[in-house]
Amino acid sequence: MSDPVAVVRAYFDAVAAGDPSAVGALFAPDAELHNAAGTLRGAEAITRMYEGGLRPGAMKPSPGPLVVDGERVAVEIDLNADGKLMKLGDFFTIREGKIHCLAIYSLNPVNPKFFDAAEENS
């Protein structure tokens, strides 16, 4: 899967399914994930974060239209996380079919720590 749109859709499908292994498999080995809790480096650290809090039914992302510019994809998301509604902005960089960078911005003033493992910064 090398199409950036297909990779981003696969990411949201895996998050909605509560499948941390499938989410982690979409990231490049040297990927970075930036969110309000900090920066995670490497697919292993990112996968651990998702393993720490992603479970079936816990997260229901509703992505809006994707804005695509080559390898970059931006999307506004309405996220239901355990019954709490929030609005996020996700910015992906996709290269060779893998997520190389994902920056997640919260548009709501909420606890920036989505998962217990988010503080693990490899």
Side-chain angles (χ1 to χ4, degrees):
M1 168 178 17
S2 61
D3 174 36
V5 170
V7 174
V8 170
R9 287 195 174 129
Y11 168 83
F12 287 117
D13 289 346
V15 169
D19 188 344
S21 296
V23 173
L26 294 168
F27 285 86
D30 60 346
E32 290 188 352
L33 185 147
H34 308 278
N35 64 25
T39 297
L40 293 169
R41 291 180 177 83
E44 289 180 16
I46 294 166
T47 301
R48 279 194 308 272
M49 179 193 76
Y50 284 101
E51 287 171 344
L54 190 58
R55 61 192 187 289
M59 296 239 181
K60 297 175 187 153
S62 296
L66 303 180
V67 179
V68 182
D69 181 17
E71 65 184 16
R72 292 184 173 86
V73 180
V75 60
E76 185 177 294
I77 302 117
D78 291 320
L79 178 67
N80 181 332
D82 287 327
K84 296 178 183 171
L85 301 176
M86 61 187 77
K87 200 168 272 295
L88 303 174
D90 283 9
F91 298 84
F92 296 84
T93 301
I94 311 292
R95 291 190 190 116
E96 299 175 359
K98 295 287 185 179
I99 300 169
H100 278 257
C101 185
L102 171 56
I104 303 171
Y105 295 93
S106 174
L107 303 177
N108 300 51
V110 297
N111 181 356
K113 190 172 163 185
F114 286 119
F115 305 123
D116 290 339
E119 73 276 357
E120 290 182 26
N121 192 353
S122 70

